[in-house]
Amino acid sequence: QKEVEQNSGPLSVPEGAIASLNCTYSDRGSQSFFWYRQYSGKSPELIMSIYSNGDKEDGRFTAQLNKASQYVSLLIRDSQPSDSATYLCACLPSGAGSYQLTFGKGTKLSVIP
Amino acid sequence: GAVVSQHPSWVICKSGTSVKIECRSLDFQATTMFWYRQFPKQSLMLMATSNEGSKATYEQGVEKDKFLINHASLTLSTLTVTSAHPEDSSFYICSALPGRGNTEAFFGQGTRLTVV
């Protein structure tokens, strides 16, 4: 069973702080990893993708990947109340022609003004 | 990013009736689309993979005769919930991959189905 694990939260951070979201995955052969943001009642929105070990930065968001530890994280700098949402970690399991994402259950983030 | 349009956004239907949900890729061709279901406070659960011009691949436990999927063109996939019951009430979301080899999936807006 290929699994993606996330702390369900809620994770509360004050406005302007750094929010750190973590995710582990079980399929060691996974090559592609994604962070989606989902507001309540809405569908997920892709915010970051990462494919190689290390950090990838995009604006206030930084994704970090450590394949040896099977760990991927998302840092949100200068957190804003509008960042309050559920963040879904997803990975693409190994396998030829596999395009089916495996999602974690999501971490609910609350940014307190 | 690529745009995926899903319609309707919400629907209320009577128990025993059927509901069709459309998923369109607006600015790209999608050979593969995915249908998910999400219950409150739960993660997305993949129901089926829809391939243009061929039969959909259903996940274990998903009734193919109840959830009919048609991917008739490279820009349209439909999910029909047949003989809907209250337990089918959920948030249904489609996603699409813009082209082979592309792994970044984009989601439609989702359809909130309520069966009364």
Side-chain angles (χ1 to χ4, degrees):
Chain A
Q1 185 76 12
K2 297 172 180 176
E3 296 180 344
V4 175
E5 299 288 341
Q6 293 181 255
N7 188 323
S8 61
L11 173 66
S12 295
V13 299
E15 183 174 357
I18 296 175
S20 177
L21 305 164
N22 305 313
C23 172
T24 59
Y25 59 94
S26 64
D27 182 9
R28 186 169 286 278
S30 295
Q31 297 295 320
S32 305
F33 306 89
F34 309 89
W35 283 99
Y36 286 85
R37 177 177 61 199
Q38 186 175 25
Y39 292 112
S40 181
K42 303 294 185 181
S43 67
E45 173 191 10
L46 178 66
I47 54 173
M48 288 286 285
S49 60
I50 187 166
Y51 306 98
S52 55
N53 280 328
D55 296 359
K56 178 182 178 182
E57 185 175 320
D58 183 2
R60 296 187 296 112
F61 299 97
T62 299
Q64 299 175 318
L65 175 61
N66 184 324
K67 291 184 179 180
S69 300
Q70 296 176 238
Y71 174 90
V72 59
S73 66
L74 179 70
L75 300 178
I76 306 175
R77 290 181 299 282
D78 188 24
S79 296
Q80 301 297 309
S82 59
D83 295 326
S84 298
T86 295
Y87 288 80
L88 301 171
C89 173
C91 72
L92 201 58
S94 56
S98 173
Y99 298 107
Q100 296 173 349
L101 293 171
T102 298
F103 284 89
K105 292 186 176 181
T107 298
K108 186 173 183 178
L109 171 66
S110 293
V111 180
I112 311 301
Chain B
V3 179
V4 178
S5 177
Q6 191 173 337
H7 178 82
S9 299
W10 60 270
V11 58
I12 301 174
C13 72
K14 291 184 177 181
S15 185
T17 61
S18 296
V19 174
K20 179 185 283 188
I21 303 170
E22 293 187 348
C23 180
R24 294 181 184 273
S25 56
L26 296 186
D27 52 359
F28 65 95
Q29 293 183 331
T31 54
T32 304
M33 292 185 174
F34 303 93
W35 287 96
Y36 296 85
R37 179 167 53 183
Q38 186 178 35
F39 292 106
K41 299 186 178 180
Q42 299 292 316
S43 188
L44 284 79
M45 297 302 297
L46 180 66
M47 298 176 66
T49 302
S50 171
N51 300 296
E52 187 269 335
S54 64
K55 292 183 179 180
T57 303
Y58 290 82
E59 294 301 298
Q60 191 173 11
V62 178
E63 300 175 57
K64 62 179 67 176
D65 293 331
K66 181 172 182 62
F67 299 99
L68 302 179
I69 291 174
N70 187 314
H71 195 153
S73 75
L74 286 171
T75 59
L76 174 64
S77 176
T78 61
L79 168 68
T80 301
V81 182
T82 63
S83 186
H85 288 93
E87 57 265 31
D88 298 323
S89 299
S90 188
F91 192 44
Y92 292 85
I93 314 173
C94 71
S95 75
L97 289 171
R100 291 193 184 281
N102 192 318
T103 59
E104 293 186 358
F106 294 89
F107 286 83
Q109 303 96 315
T111 298
R112 176 76 58 190
L113 171 64
T114 302
V115 185
V116 298

